[in-house]
Amino acid sequence: MNEQKEQLETLLENIKDYITLRARIASLTIAENTANLLATLITNGIVILFILLFCIFGSVALALWIGKELQNHALGFVIVAGIYLILVLIFILIKDKYLKKPLTNTVVKNLFKSSSYDKVDNQN
């Protein structure tokens, strides 16, 4: 009887340790996935910033060049603005199918990417 009691206490202690370790693994997995997602967002944000700067300076240069060719700088800026208006209209038409769904899928995939802990656990 005493031996069974000791085995039960050992079993309960092992269960408690197991639950504690699984909770720790879960919190580390969440932290790792969050860190990966933030790192991806920050690095992509920097790339987007440089692309935006390139577009701004390129747009100004294009508008000045068109204005010089047409002998009217204001008209050059209006033409470049018109190009952007057309791009915005195209973007509005295609955003849900070609941008929103793939971006959502990528974020969810990165957020729930299986960690090495899950792979090891699934092998057992």
Side-chain angles (χ1 to χ4, degrees):
M1 185 70 169
N2 220 4
E3 185 178 318
Q4 285 180 339
K5 186 177 180 182
E6 288 177 15
Q7 288 177 346
L8 182 61
E9 287 176 1
T10 303
L11 179 63
L12 290 175
E13 186 176 319
N14 287 342
I15 291 172
K16 180 182 172 187
D17 290 343
Y18 177 78
I19 291 171
T20 303
L21 287 174
R22 290 299 291 181
R24 180 76 175 142
I25 288 171
S27 75
L28 289 173
T29 302
I30 290 169
E32 179 185 19
N33 289 344
T34 303
N36 285 337
L37 183 63
L38 283 174
T40 301
L41 289 174
I42 289 170
T43 55
N44 288 344
I46 291 169
V47 170
I48 289 170
L49 175 67
F50 285 119
I51 290 170
L52 286 174
L53 287 172
F54 173 79
C55 288
I56 289 170
F57 286 113
S59 296
V60 170
L62 180 62
L64 289 172
W65 179 76
I66 292 172
K68 179 182 170 193
E69 293 298 315
L70 298 176
Q71 316 248 316
N72 185 346
H73 289 293
L75 187 57
F77 281 93
V78 169
I79 291 171
V80 170
I83 293 170
Y84 279 115
L85 179 62
I86 291 169
L87 290 174
V88 166
L89 294 175
I90 292 170
F91 177 80
I92 288 171
L93 294 174
I94 67 167
K95 68 177 172 132
D96 288 334
K97 184 175 181 181
Y98 294 107
L99 295 173
K100 187 177 179 184
K101 287 180 184 177
L103 283 174
T104 302
N105 291 338
T106 301
V107 170
V108 169
K109 186 172 139 182
N110 284 334
L111 195 58
F112 291 106
K113 188 187 320 180
S114 62
S115 68
S116 58
Y117 301 113
D118 294 336
K119 292 174 187 170
V120 170
D121 191 44
N122 287 339
Q123 291 175 353
N124 293 331

